[in-house]
Amino acid sequence: TLVYDQEGSSDSYVGALNFVHKDTRAAVAQGVHNVVVAAGPQDPRWLRILKQQADCNDSPAAAMFRAWFMSLLDVQPGQYAVGVCDTFTPLQDGMLDWLKRHPEAFGRTHNEYQKASTMFFWPDAKAMLSHILSVECRLRFETFVLTVHLKNEWAGGSKTGKQVAEGLDVLEKLATVHLELDRSPKAKGKEAPRLPSAIVKKERLVRFGTNGHDDQPILPPRLPFGTPDAIRKYIANPPDFSKLEADER
């Protein structure tokens, strides 16, 4: 497992658990964001510019994104089974800042990005992020894990009272599994549980039956324990949706 740590949240576990730790902020301090590499013949224009131009030293956010991306390019496919970004939001924010500084990456102008962002900037940003996740990340790891925080949902200029995951909708569209983890106490005054439960927001894990009517998801709507071990147990023994436990509903 390779962990890209953007907040120092994995520092405590270095040496205690079996993973390789990459501190992205430390990588910026070491100048990794100023590394340049040769572009490939099939690389789109934005990727050629990203690889060959080290010009984001004056932007902490863009520098962090580029340091992570240049480090990612060093990973050989199959070198690690699992890649983790904790959290992914700073990298996404840095990517957006980099793109705003390089509208020529998609043949745009600064004016187009500023005055018609819905038409130009956001489609380009989503195309860029989709390539990074579905090509650069997916083809290097068997499993790629992104963690994000929750944020307030807004509609019509005001909060809806709901919370949603941070990040562009590309993350949801490309995800195989999307879990919303929760460690809320079961009752007021009680301690928070050590292990989180999880609401399954999306999954592509299916147990196929003899016909389409018999196909069933491998995960229940709610995981009493939202952990990798719990997911492995459900893969080995999928739930019977006609007999779900109360805490699986």
Side-chain angles (χ1 to χ4, degrees):
T1 298
L2 175 63
V3 176
Y4 291 104
D5 187 354
Q6 281 64 252
E7 297 183 341
S9 54
S10 300
D11 287 352
S12 305
Y13 307 104
V14 175
L17 296 175
N18 184 26
F19 69 97
V20 175
H21 183 252
K22 296 285 187 180
D23 187 325
T24 308
R25 296 185 188 276
V28 173
Q30 295 161 5
V32 177
H33 62 295
N34 288 321
V35 171
V36 295
V37 297
Q42 306 303 323
D43 288 346
R45 176 165 47 184
W46 68 264
L47 187 52
R48 295 198 302 269
I49 294 173
L50 180 58
K51 287 181 176 180
Q52 296 176 325
Q53 294 186 17
D55 55 358
C56 55
N57 207 47
D58 59 340
S59 168
M64 190 171 182
F65 160 68
R66 193 170 188 278
W68 168 74
F69 188 77
M70 301 311 288
S71 176
L72 178 69
L73 293 180
D74 278 341
V75 177
Q76 297 302 310
Q79 185 177 356
Y80 299 96
V82 179
V84 180
C85 282
D86 187 25
T87 68
F88 188 71
T89 307
L91 302 178
Q92 177 184 273
D93 291 345
M95 186 205 76
L96 297 176
D97 192 58
W98 182 90
L99 183 56
K100 288 177 182 177
R101 295 165 179 268
H102 298 85
E104 73 279 6
F106 283 88
R108 315 293 189 192
T109 65
H110 286 286
N111 189 54
E112 286 176 324
Y113 274 180
Q114 290 175 351
K115 295 187 176 180
S117 61
T118 302
M119 186 181 301
F120 298 114
F121 178 74
W122 290 113
D124 292 348
K126 292 179 181 182
M128 184 175 174
L129 181 56
S130 179
H131 175 97
I132 290 173
L133 294 177
S134 62
V135 177
E136 306 299 344
C137 296
R138 186 177 66 86
L139 299 184
R140 284 177 164 82
F141 304 92
E142 294 178 25
T143 301
F144 199 69
V145 181
L146 306 176
T147 69
V148 298
H149 295 297
L150 292 173
K151 65 177 181 179
N152 291 318
E153 182 183 57
W154 289 73
S158 60
K159 297 178 182 178
T160 65
K162 298 179 181 180
Q163 288 194 316
V164 295
E166 290 181 329
L168 297 177
D169 60 7
V170 172
L171 303 183
E172 174 78 13
K173 290 178 180 178
L174 293 180
T176 296
V177 176
H178 175 189
L179 302 177
E180 183 176 309
L181 303 178
D182 184 14
R183 293 184 65 242
S184 300
K186 292 185 177 181
K188 187 176 181 180
K190 299 292 185 179
E191 292 185 3
R194 187 178 66 84
L195 296 178
S197 61
I199 300 297
V200 179
K201 311 290 284 190
K202 176 189 177 181
E203 67 167 313
R204 290 175 174 165
L205 306 179
V206 176
R207 172 186 54 185
F208 294 104
T210 55
N211 56 64
H213 295 288
D214 294 334
D215 296 347
Q216 298 258 349
I218 284 176
L219 300 180
R222 180 182 184 274
L223 306 182
F225 300 107
T227 66
D229 283 342
I231 293 174
R232 293 188 188 101
K233 289 180 180 178
Y234 278 117
I235 291 174
N237 297 286
D240 182 347
F241 271 69
S242 66
K243 299 178 182 179
L244 289 177
E245 302 291 337
D247 56 4
E248 292 178 322
R249 296 197 293 270

